Amino acid sequence: MTTLTTTAASPGMRRRAASFLHRHAGVRLSLLLSAPLAWLGLAYLGALAALLVTAFWSTDVFTGDVVKVFTWANFTDLVTGEVYRTVALRSIGVAAAVTLIDLVVAFPMAFAMAKLASPRAQRWLVIAVLTPLWASYLVKAYAWRVMLSSDGVLGWGYGLTATVVTLSYLWLPYMILPIYAGLERLPNSLLDAAGDLGARPWRTFRTVVWPLTFPAAVAGSIFTFSLSLGDYITVKIVGGKTQLIGNVVYDNIGAANNLPFAAAVATVPVVIMLVYLAAVRRTGALENL
Amino acid sequence: MRSPRPRFARPSLVVTAALALAAVAGCGGGSSTDGGGSAAAPGGAFTPPKIETLKSLGPGEGQVNLVAWAGYAEDGSNDPKVDWVHPFEKATGCTVNTKTAGTSDEMVNLMKTGEYDAVSASGDASLRLIASGTVAPVNTDLVPNYKDVFEGLKLKPWNSVNGVAYGIPHGRGANLLMWRTDTVNPAPDSWGVVFDPASPYKGKVTAYDSPIYIADAALYLMSARPELGIKDPYALDETQLKAAVDLLKQQKQNIGEYWSDYTKAVQSFKSGDTAVGTTWQVIANLVEADKAPVQTTLPKEGSTGWSDTWMVAAQAKHPNCAYKWLDWIISPTANAQVAEWFGEAPANAKACEQTSDKSFCDTYHATDEEYFSKVHYWTTPIAQCLDGRTDVKCTDYSEWTRAWTEIKG
């Protein structure tokens, strides 16, 4: 608004511009959408496309330069190498476990926030859930490292379990908030009605609460699943001797300077997420988001 | 607090001058790949592009642009007491502009822009810079402090060509074997303790999380399985690499965790989660400072390690200030400061009298050439065997990286 008034030379010109836009809906729309579309197209999809293209190139072992000649070699290596399958499956397992744990922890939490707490307490609870996000990721991961060490408070040691636990902690707010938002939109009258019609709590949950908040839970799971799938730092800190897809990408790009192979490995989580989103779409959850 | 750079970042697949590298390491000029601008001479040496050395030192140009590892050019911003940049500026009138690089690749790329005057290059970057003509030979007569540098660091394959110095040694260190004295008995003197399949310390062994650690296994195999014929842990053919990989896979059964971040190693040795494994001197010091019962040794097989070199750009815009910096960084006081801050052995023999901890040089074995003769300094493995073999193709760093992924499973 302010930019319009300052740039327009006179009120008359502004009015003329406004009426021009009013008459030409197409121009109006393209002006409105050009910025977000440019962002989506260039910065977001462009980066993904570059990734995909790079994956079909190779590196010259002699000079270290990227050779821009089409080859399937990276994907052949990826598919035939047993270790990559193992790592991919392990990463999916970790992501699924983290999502499940977060769901189980987040749902009662979100329910209490949305339905049981007073409006004042609600505000404070939201802040409490958000507070951990203010602290650095590394600080939190190292805090878990200290707790999990054998002389720490928990003393469970490092490994896959430690990774799952730490990731569950890190991504929990991303699960609580969507579910909380979903439960907020759920009218209390529905719960009352279910009670009046004689439904026990579990039945109310199963037939009323869960179906209506399912899309919200799916939204949360997309966060936790994709964030876990891409993580490589937590597993470096508390993972002991395990590795996930992210570590394979990191090692190839950071240490070996093999960008094409790293790009090929990086397409694995992208494909997994696409499959996941397709599966979610089939349930119809995305329409209700 | 000390702040060593992340060492996992240094090895890199290179290899603009792979041919040159191979030739320097004594590889006979058998390979006829017509890649780089520098051709391998028949004698096995390689001829770098002809670049004039600075003949005499003029007045300073008022500033100097450096590419350095973190912790190599401290100006007091990390710790007010750790500052050898401001005294330099005051003494020479050269303002220092430092660009910290994270990897050797980054260093090479930065130097190729021509914007910088000097660089603290590691063994896997220095020869690339020489062969590509990015750095000039150094006239050591113009660096008065050079005479006090340990002989064991002068004119080495990674900082000179054909007896011509291309840089000033900065410092060095070895990767050591550390163990907790309360759990590990008897005191080990061999890397065998971390490679033993029937190790009593199962789940408490640690190893360095980088493909370059394959060289540690190869080093152990040099003496444990001489029939493999490994002469240089950075020059492994397919069979030798496979043997090293198998050894590391077997070792993985006993590994508690891999480390690449030095704070992680400090903490796990302190808590006792790790009982034995590879380490750096600085880690050992930090663990000992916290009163944890640990001890280190340079095992009888020797060990891997690093050695860095300050080099001057061929197109340096401020060569006089660059030379002044080279002389400054290896001056007894500054060299002692940087060595103590970073946790490595200084290059200048006289630095040992200037360290705040009087036993520093003993701790880091600065004067112990016998000690460093057992250290195989990190070099990037390339297809041309670094040990001089021409009848086989060696495995390069990208193969090592994939092997490392496979080892970790």
Side-chain angles (χ1 to χ4, degrees), chain A residues 59-65 73-74 77 83-84 86-87 90 142 145-146 148-151 157-158 235-243 247-248 250-252 254-258 261, chain B residues 8 11-16 18-19 33 35-36 103 105 209 211 252-258 260-261 263-264 267-268 270-273 384 396-398 401-402 404-406 408-409:
Chain A
T59 351
D60 186 331
V61 284
F62 191 70
T63 60
D65 293 335
N74 292 322
D77 286 357
V83 63
Y84 302 114
T86 317
V87 172
R90 184 185 302 135
Y142 269 104
R145 183 177 165 80
V146 172
L148 291 165
S149 91
S150 61
D151 59 355
Y158 310 125
V235 66
K236 254 192 179 316
I237 295 173
V238 297
K241 55 184 175 180
T242 55
Q243 63 179 349
N247 302 88
V248 178
Y250 176 83
D251 285 347
N252 272 290
N257 195 22
N258 192 343
F261 189 70
Chain B
F8 60 88
S12 51
L13 169 80
V14 203
V15 199
T16 39
L19 178 61
T33 329
T103 66
D105 271 330
D209 188 3
K252 195 200 166 201
Q253 312 300 322
N254 295 329
I255 293 280
E257 71 171 351
Y258 293 103
S260 58
D261 170 354
T263 54
K264 199 171 132 177
Q267 194 243 333
S268 67
K270 226 162 64 185
S271 67
D273 285 328
Q384 282 79 9
D396 65 30
Y397 199 66
S398 70
T401 308
R402 291 195 191 190
W404 188 245
T405 301
E406 209 187 298
K408 287 178 74 187

Side-chain angles (χ1 to χ4, degrees), chain A residues 99 102-104 106-107 110-111 114-115 171-186 205 208-225 276-277 280 283-289:
Chain A
T99 304
D102 275 350
L103 191 63
V104 169
F107 206 98
F111 190 84
K115 297 296 170 204
W171 310 140
L172 187 61
Y174 297 94
M175 185 63 104
I176 293 181
L177 290 175
I179 297 182
Y180 167 69
L183 284 167
E184 276 249 279
R185 279 183 298 180
L186 179 79
F205 173 78
V208 179
V209 178
W210 178 248
L212 287 171
T213 47
F214 181 66
V218 166
S221 79
I222 292 173
F223 286 131
T224 54
F225 195 82
Y276 186 71
L277 287 175
V280 164
T283 65
L286 291 181
E287 279 105 72
N288 297 319
L289 275 183

Side-chain angles (χ1 to χ4, degrees), chain B residues 62-254:
Chain B
Q63 61 172 327
V64 60
N65 301 326
L66 306 176
V67 176
W69 291 112
Y72 273 22
E74 289 293 320
D75 59 2
S77 50
N78 284 324
D79 181 341
K81 290 195 291 290
V82 180
D83 180 2
W84 51 90
V85 165
H86 285 116
F88 169 76
E89 291 176 338
K90 226 165 143 189
T92 62
C94 303
T95 308
V96 176
N97 308 308
T98 309
K99 170 80 187 159
T100 305
T103 66
S104 287
D105 271 330
E106 200 184 341
M107 282 194 168
V108 172
N109 290 335
L110 284 170
M111 286 310 287
K112 286 192 171 166
T113 63
E115 302 280 314
Y116 300 92
D117 303 306
V119 58
S120 63
S122 302
D124 54 342
S126 52
L127 287 175
R128 278 197 277 168
L129 293 167
I130 297 173
S132 59
T134 313
V135 292
V138 170
N139 185 347
T140 50
D141 295 341
L142 302 180
V143 184
N145 284 313
Y146 186 71
K147 65 177 191 307
D148 298 321
V149 169
F150 291 110
E151 287 303 323
L153 283 169
K154 284 180 181 172
L155 299 178
K156 288 294 161 189
W158 61 90
N159 60 25
S160 69
V161 176
N162 297 337
V164 178
Y166 271 81
I168 301 295
H170 170 105
R172 54 183 165 176
N175 299 318
L176 302 169
L177 175 64
M178 179 152 83
W179 68 94
R180 276 188 67 108
T181 49
D182 54 349
T183 41
V184 176
N185 252 312
D189 67 340
S190 157
W191 288 111
V193 68
V194 299
F195 292 116
D196 180 7
S199 171
Y201 315 113
K202 191 175 165 69
K204 296 201 165 218
V205 177
T206 196
Y208 188 50
D209 188 3
S210 162
I212 205 72
Y213 186 70
I214 291 173
D216 287 57
L219 180 80
Y220 174 68
L221 290 175
M222 276 166 75
S223 54
R225 287 181 58 194
E227 74 276 11
L228 285 166
I230 301 175
K231 286 197 220 71
D232 180 336
Y234 303 98
L236 306 178
D237 61 32
E238 291 290 345
T239 333
Q240 294 164 341
L241 178 68
K242 190 167 178 311
V245 167
D246 288 344
L247 180 65
L248 289 166
K249 278 184 179 164
Q250 177 196 305
Q251 182 200 32
K252 195 200 166 201
Q253 312 300 322
N254 295 329

Side-chain angles (χ1 to χ4, degrees), chain A residues 10-108:
Chain A
S10 69
M13 220 163 123
R14 199 175 63 187
R15 206 171 307 131
R16 241 174 303 149
S19 62
F20 174 82
L21 286 177
H22 182 74
R23 271 177 283 123
H24 299 83
V27 178
R28 198 173 62 213
L29 194 68
S30 60
L31 276 178
L32 191 68
L33 287 184
S34 56
L37 277 182
W39 167 254
L40 193 73
L42 292 175
Y44 187 72
L45 294 177
L48 272 180
L51 176 89
L52 205 63
V53 170
T54 316
F56 289 104
W57 292 338
S58 60
T59 351
D60 186 331
V61 284
F62 191 70
T63 60
D65 293 335
V66 173
V67 181
K68 295 178 180 172
V69 176
F70 184 88
T71 168
W72 283 101
N74 292 322
F75 286 98
T76 318
D77 286 357
L78 197 61
V79 173
T80 50
E82 200 185 323
V83 63
Y84 302 114
R85 238 183 343 258
T86 317
V87 172
L89 286 176
R90 184 185 302 135
S91 304
I92 295 173
V94 166
V98 169
T99 304
L100 211 65
I101 292 173
D102 275 350
L103 191 63
V104 169
V105 176
F107 206 98

Side-chain angles (χ1 to χ4, degrees), chain A residues 189-213:
Chain A
S189 53
L190 286 184
L191 301 182
D192 296 339
D196 290 347
L197 293 170
R200 300 265 169 105
W202 173 242
R203 195 180 162 84
T204 309
F205 173 78
R206 215 159 40 83
T207 56
V208 179
V209 178
W210 178 248
L212 287 171
T213 47

